[in-house]
Amino acid sequence: MMKNDVLNSHKLGYKFYFQDGDNQIACFGHIMSGKEKIYVNDELVSEKRSFGFKSRHDFNYQGNAYAVDFAMQNILTGKLECSFYKTGKLVKQSTQTSLTDNPKQVALVTLGCFLGGAISGYAVVTFIEPFLGK
């Protein structure tokens, strides 16, 4: 177990935990900023920003070669798969969903985003554009 759970400070994101012997590997991906961090026993071993659907972190710890892959499975539900490798072999895979797998809730969120965008666009065209034209 990690002495201090470094990922508790990360609010909007995915958190995956893997175990390799006495070592706990904690993987974090922030939903909005795209920043990804990998810790081994509270020690930051890899960090980068990713805005694609896939990313990979390769790192060495105590003479072992590790890798962590993030792969977005469904952008609408926020379903993300995280794979943990040791010396090129898959150790464990885990999946998390940031929103929901419920199709009705996904439809409501999508509709809400569409309506919010439509209202904002209308407001800009109606109230701000006349000032820009002069």
Side-chain angles (χ1 to χ4, degrees):
M1 280 292 179
M2 297 176 84
K3 289 175 255 138
N4 300 316
D5 187 357
V6 294
L7 300 188
N8 277 340
S9 62
H10 302 298
K11 301 284 186 234
L12 289 171
Y14 298 92
K15 299 170 188 165
F16 297 94
Y17 299 92
F18 302 104
Q19 200 70 33
D20 181 43
D22 291 335
N23 297 321
Q24 184 181 52
I25 293 81
C27 312
F28 172 75
H30 194 274
I31 293 172
M32 303 303 281
S33 72
K35 186 161 245 180
E36 301 169 346
K37 295 181 180 182
I38 311 296
Y39 296 88
V40 179
N41 303 327
D42 286 334
E43 181 183 333
L44 183 65
V45 294
S46 183
E47 177 180 19
K48 70 178 175 179
R49 198 172 301 273
S50 173
F51 291 105
F53 291 102
K54 292 184 178 199
S55 70
R56 183 177 182 92
H57 295 258
D58 291 297
F59 59 95
N60 290 302
Y61 191 82
Q62 295 178 339
N64 292 304
Y66 294 104
V68 170
D69 284 341
F70 290 105
M72 184 59 68
Q73 302 294 312
N74 185 327
I75 193 76
L76 289 178
T77 63
K79 186 176 182 180
L80 183 74
E81 181 179 80
C82 184
S83 304
F84 172 60
Y85 297 88
K86 180 179 180 181
T87 61
K89 293 189 172 101
L90 179 64
V91 175
K92 190 172 179 187
Q93 227 169 24
S94 186
T95 304
Q96 288 182 14
T97 303
S98 66
L99 295 174
T100 178
D101 279 328
N102 182 333
K104 286 183 181 177
Q105 284 184 324
V106 171
L108 285 174
V109 168
T110 304
L111 179 62
C113 290
F114 175 78
L115 289 175
I119 291 168
S120 296
Y122 176 79
V124 166
V125 168
T126 304
F127 301 110
I128 296 176
E129 189 179 344
F131 295 106
L132 297 176
K134 294 180 179 181

